[in-house]
Amino acid sequence: MVGPPRGARAPLKNQRPNTSHSAIQRALATLQQFLHVEAISGVVLLFAAAVALIWANSPASHSYHDLWNLLLPLRLSEFAFVRSVHFWINDALMTVFFLVVGMEIRREIHEGALSRFDQALLPVLAACGGVIVPALVYLSFNNTAGRGHGWAVPTATDIAFAVGVLALLGRSIPSNVRVFLLALAIIDDIIAVLIIALFYSDGLQPSGFIVAAAGIITALGLQRLGFRTALIYVVPALIVWAGFLVAGVHPTLAGVVLGLITPARTAGAETEPPVVRVEAALHPWVAYAIMPLFAFANAGVDLRSIEFDGGTQFVALGIGLALCAGKPVGVIGATWIAVRLGGCRLAEGVTWPGICLIGLLAGIGFTMSIFIAMLAFTDEKLLDAAKFGVLLGSLISVTLGLGWGAEYAQRQRNVRS
């Protein structure tokens, strides 16, 4: 009987390849890349919003609004689909943003922070608190029919801005605090998507859902047949998008649906699953082009024309206060209750000062908040007031987050030294 070579370790009985370790390593590498892109994106977003505000409040402000109202036709033979530049940015390009959101959710559920119930429960409860309390704060100022429609505006967290501010605080912030914030923001996105689908979709047309279902079935069929090239899914994606548009559901939600059905496992000779590969390819485009373009097209509020009367002042006040105060109270309060009742515990390295930092940064709404505001308000005065409230509340949240975060980071450095 031939034994193992001298000096070699005998294999352990029933030893299996350490697939879980490789999955963890892949998940961590993906997370680090994601956080890096989001951190830089936050700076680009801030620059785009600042340029939009300066332009919209300059003597050439009319050209800012005229630019987004230009009509751009999409022509296929005799068919012409004519929409404004604003539409192509907010309803078409932002679909790619929501596609990445859907893929983030899919990846996190498969092997990330949402893959285990015990890991996901605490950020889920924190996110729910961060949605309920801001909505109540807003409605306490705006309980009338027209203004009350904007209750969901301050419920969302801007991942790019929040992660960007966290990056400015340096590496003294524990990694688990970053993971908690990312999980919270992703769950916020899930809730925001559900809110848009349930509360901001009017006059639904069943025929549109039939078209969208055909596109989804086609995409699933191509997956089943083993097609892994992303370009082949463009046609089914367009069918789903058109179906949602006809149905009366905001067409950008097509991106979420397509992201959620993207395969999360490797097949054949693949080294990475499609959900990781496609997200990695699209994420920089979304972070450095689509989101800044959205901010540039929508953050330009002419502050000189805002009239704080007829209830618009309460819209701005309600949103601003809900973001900078309601969000932290909701996130921190829900986390404290969950831990206090004994159903959850804080992860290693996450302390209550860290939870306070997460709560403050969760008040940075911006991208998703402005997006929901545009769905909630058709009245230009209310919309401008809502955007002003989002900008003000997010700015206060950034300031408070940086202030508290600097103190928290210093404490962390003192502990380590």
Side-chain angles (χ1 to χ4, degrees):
M1 183 174 180
V2 180
R6 182 173 297 179
R9 293 180 59 185
L12 297 176
K13 189 177 182 180
N14 298 326
Q15 188 177 40
R16 296 179 179 177
N18 195 353
T19 55
S20 61
H21 179 71
S22 61
I24 292 172
Q25 292 294 107
R26 186 171 64 246
L28 288 174
T30 305
L31 174 64
Q32 289 175 351
Q33 181 185 9
F34 181 86
L35 291 173
H36 176 72
V37 173
E38 289 292 329
I40 300 175
S41 174
V43 178
V44 180
L45 268 177
L46 181 61
F47 177 77
V51 172
L53 276 172
I54 293 171
W55 189 0
N57 289 275
S58 71
S61 60
H62 62 88
S63 61
Y64 173 82
H65 299 287
D66 291 344
L67 173 62
W68 310 122
N69 290 324
L70 285 174
L71 296 179
L72 286 181
L74 175 64
R75 299 186 184 278
L76 294 173
S77 186
E78 296 180 357
F79 172 79
F81 186 68
V82 182
R83 290 294 187 275
S84 67
V85 176
H86 224 215
F87 173 87
W88 291 116
I89 293 172
N90 294 351
D91 292 39
L93 283 180
M94 284 297 284
T95 303
V96 184
F97 164 78
F98 278 97
L99 175 62
V100 172
V101 169
M103 289 181 177
E104 289 168 18
I105 296 169
R106 180 75 178 93
R107 178 173 52 78
E108 291 295 325
I109 290 174
H110 178 65
E111 62 178 13
L114 307 181
S115 60
R116 286 174 45 188
F117 180 77
D118 57 341
Q119 289 180 337
L121 182 58
L122 191 56
V124 166
L125 294 175
C128 290
V131 168
I132 294 170
V133 175
L136 293 176
V137 170
Y138 177 83
L139 289 173
S140 67
F141 291 94
N142 301 277
N143 57 2
T144 61
R147 304 202 312 266
H149 201 48
W151 64 270
V153 174
T155 61
T157 297
D158 190 297
I159 299 179
F161 263 135
V163 172
V165 172
L166 204 59
L168 292 176
L169 297 173
R171 297 185 177 274
S172 298
I173 305 299
S175 59
N176 277 343
V177 171
R178 301 174 190 273
V179 172
F180 193 107
L181 176 63
L182 182 60
L184 172 72
I186 290 173
I187 296 163
D188 255 6
D189 281 346
I190 297 173
I191 297 174
V193 167
L194 293 175
I195 287 172
I196 293 170
L198 295 175
F199 297 99
Y200 296 104
S201 298
D202 301 322
L204 299 180
Q205 299 295 325
S207 59
F209 288 111
I210 295 173
V211 174
I216 294 169
I217 292 171
T218 302
L220 291 173
L222 290 172
Q223 289 179 17
R224 192 66 181 266
L225 292 171
F227 289 96
R228 302 299 239 189
T229 304
L231 288 177
I232 203 169
Y233 293 92
V234 171
V235 172
L238 290 175
I239 294 173
V240 177
W241 183 87
F244 275 26
L245 182 65
V246 172
V249 179
H250 202 276
T252 53
L253 296 183
V256 179
V257 174
L258 294 166
L260 289 174
I261 66 172
T262 304
R265 289 183 171 86
T266 56
E270 289 180 331
T271 57
E272 290 184 325
V275 72
V276 173
R277 188 176 69 253
V278 178
E279 183 190 358
L282 292 178
H283 192 200
W285 288 97
V286 169
Y288 303 142
I290 294 176
M291 289 175 65
L293 185 59
F294 174 83
F296 186 41
N298 295 284
V301 181
D302 191 343
L303 302 177
R304 301 165 300 180
S305 64
I306 296 180
E307 299 177 3
F308 290 114
D309 57 10
T312 57
Q313 69 272 31
F314 295 113
V315 170
L317 178 62
I319 291 174
L321 196 59
L323 283 172
C324 68
K327 265 288 189 181
V329 170
V331 169
I332 298 168
T335 305
W336 184 84
I337 292 172
V339 173
R340 185 72 174 177
L341 292 178
C344 301
R345 62 183 179 83
L346 298 179
E348 183 181 354
V350 179
T351 60
W352 287 110
I355 294 295
C356 290
L357 175 61
I358 291 169
L360 291 171
L361 295 181
I364 306 173
F366 202 70
T367 305
M368 192 67 83
S369 292
I370 290 178
F371 189 86
I372 296 176
M374 297 178 68
L375 300 178
F377 297 114
T378 55
D379 186 307
E380 286 296 327
K381 290 184 179 180
L382 291 178
L383 179 57
D384 284 346
K387 288 182 179 180
F388 177 77
V390 170
L391 294 173
L392 181 62
S394 298
L395 179 61
I396 294 173
S397 296
V398 169
T399 305
L400 293 175
L402 283 173
W404 178 263
E407 176 65 23
Y408 174 60
Q410 184 59 49
R411 289 183 188 178
Q412 293 296 116
R413 286 191 290 268
N414 291 339
V415 169
R416 291 174 182 175
S417 61

